[in-house]
Amino acid sequence: MTEVGSVYDEFVRELEGWERRYAGRPRELLVRLFLLALEREEIVSIAYRESLMSARLAAMPLPPEARELIGHALLWAWKDEEMHALYIRGAILKLGGRVLCLRARLKQAPLAHKVSVFPWSSAASGEFC
C-alpha cells in the first residue's frame, strides 16, 4: 500500500468512528466536520503562501516568463484556499454562534503565527470568527 493509500484508509476509519460517536446527533457531527475542514484549509493555505512559493520558484531552473506564470497561478490557488477557510468560518459562525466561533479560533491558534491573513479574512467577512 502506498503512503497516500494508508493516509486515506486512516481517514476513512476516523470518519467511521465519528459516525458511530455522533450517531443520532447530526449537528454535532457537522460541527466536527466543519472544524476539521477549517483546520485543513488553513494548513493548505500555509503551504500555498506566497513567501514560500516565491522562494521555491526562485530556486527552480525556469525561464522568467514561466516562473511568473506559475507564481501567478499559485498566488490565486493560495487566495482560493483562503476563501475556503473564510467560508468555513462563516458556516461555523452561522451554525454555532460565538461559542463555536471561539472553538474554531482556538483550533486555529497553533497556525496563527504562520499565516498573516487571519485579520484580513475575518475583516473581509464582516465577522470575527
Side-chain angles (χ1 to χ4, degrees):
M1 177 178 291
T2 67
E3 287 183 34
V4 172
S6 64
V7 169
Y8 174 81
D9 290 342
E10 180 182 335
F11 185 62
V12 167
R13 286 190 299 276
E14 187 174 8
L15 288 176
E16 289 168 349
W18 290 353
E19 286 177 344
R20 286 188 300 276
R21 180 178 178 186
Y22 297 108
R25 299 177 297 164
R27 183 186 181 283
E28 291 179 41
L29 177 59
L30 186 60
V31 166
R32 182 67 183 101
L33 290 169
F34 276 171
L35 291 173
L36 176 67
L38 181 60
E39 176 185 287
R40 301 287 167 90
E41 289 298 341
E42 293 295 349
I43 289 169
V44 171
S45 73
I46 290 169
Y48 281 120
R49 192 173 52 197
E50 185 178 9
S51 60
L52 291 174
M53 289 294 113
S54 295
R56 290 177 185 153
L57 277 173
M60 296 178 79
L62 295 170
E65 302 82 23
R67 184 175 291 115
E68 183 180 346
L69 180 65
I70 292 169
H72 186 73
L74 290 171
L75 178 61
W76 278 101
W78 174 70
K79 288 179 182 184
D80 192 49
E81 295 304 328
E82 284 295 320
M83 292 310 295
H84 293 162
L86 177 63
Y87 176 82
I88 292 295
R89 279 196 296 273
I92 288 170
L93 180 60
K94 185 174 182 178
L95 183 65
R98 296 289 179 194
V99 172
L100 186 54
C101 180
L102 179 59
R103 279 184 60 198
R105 292 303 257 176
L106 290 173
K107 191 165 191 66
Q108 290 177 283
L111 301 172
H113 72 283
K114 296 181 181 176
V115 179
S116 62
V117 132
F118 283 103
W120 173 84
S121 298
S122 298
S125 70
E127 299 291 348
F128 294 94
C129 181

